[in-house]
């Protein structure tokens, strides 16, 4: 089965980009482009960085940092949930053994 694709036009920092993506990924692509555009505009507004390429690199670094931080948070929650599950399983086994 062939995957349907389409060309989507997105705007990032006042530049137009045409991106080919699967039809079902269009809204995700548009959200990602809007998010990147917002981050790049935020950096540009700070006035500390000049040039679209430098702004793009700093935006990529900031987004990557946020992603890594959230990934660590999810791993910590997952570890806590695993520990809680082990405790509950132990309590269940103990309760079943006592019946």
């Amino acid at each position: 089965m062939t995957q349907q694709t389409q060309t989507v036009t997105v705007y990032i920092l006042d530049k137009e980009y045409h991106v080919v993506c699967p039809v079902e990924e269009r809204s995700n692509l548009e959200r990602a482009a809007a998010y990147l555009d917002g981050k790049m505009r935020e950096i540009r507004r700070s006035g500390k960085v000049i040039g679209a390429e430098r702004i793009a690199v700093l935006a990529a670094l900031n987004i990557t940092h946020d992603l890594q931080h959230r990934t660590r948070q999810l791993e910590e929650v997952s570890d806590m949930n695993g520990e809680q599950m082990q405790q509950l399983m132990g309590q269940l086994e103990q309760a079943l053994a006592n019946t």
Side-chain angles (χ1 to χ4, degrees):
M1 184 158 77
T2 308
Q3 191 175 39
Q4 296 287 331
T5 61
Q6 68 182 147
T7 301
V8 179
T9 302
V10 295
Y11 297 89
I12 301 171
L13 212 56
D14 303 323
K15 288 188 85 175
E16 183 178 281
Y17 297 90
H18 303 283
V19 182
V20 175
C21 74
V23 172
E24 64 273 6
E25 290 296 320
R26 179 185 180 129
S27 62
N28 289 334
L29 172 63
E30 290 172 335
R31 277 194 306 273
Y35 185 78
L36 177 58
D37 181 63
K39 289 292 186 181
M40 289 179 70
R41 288 178 183 282
E42 187 179 300
I43 291 167
R44 185 173 69 179
R45 272 194 305 273
S46 77
K48 297 177 184 176
V49 181
I50 298 174
E53 185 176 310
R54 290 178 182 265
I55 290 171
V57 169
L58 283 178
L61 283 171
N62 288 338
I63 292 168
T64 301
H65 175 265
D66 291 344
L67 176 63
Q68 289 176 332
H69 178 72
R70 290 182 179 157
T71 299
R72 279 193 305 275
Q73 286 179 324
L74 285 173
E75 287 170 352
E76 289 172 7
V77 168
S78 179
D79 289 346
M80 284 190 294
N81 287 342
E83 290 171 11
Q84 289 175 339
M85 184 62 79
Q86 289 293 338
Q87 288 175 355
L88 288 172
M89 291 297 290
Q91 290 173 355
L92 180 59
E93 289 172 2
Q94 199 171 35
L96 289 172
N98 291 336
T99 57

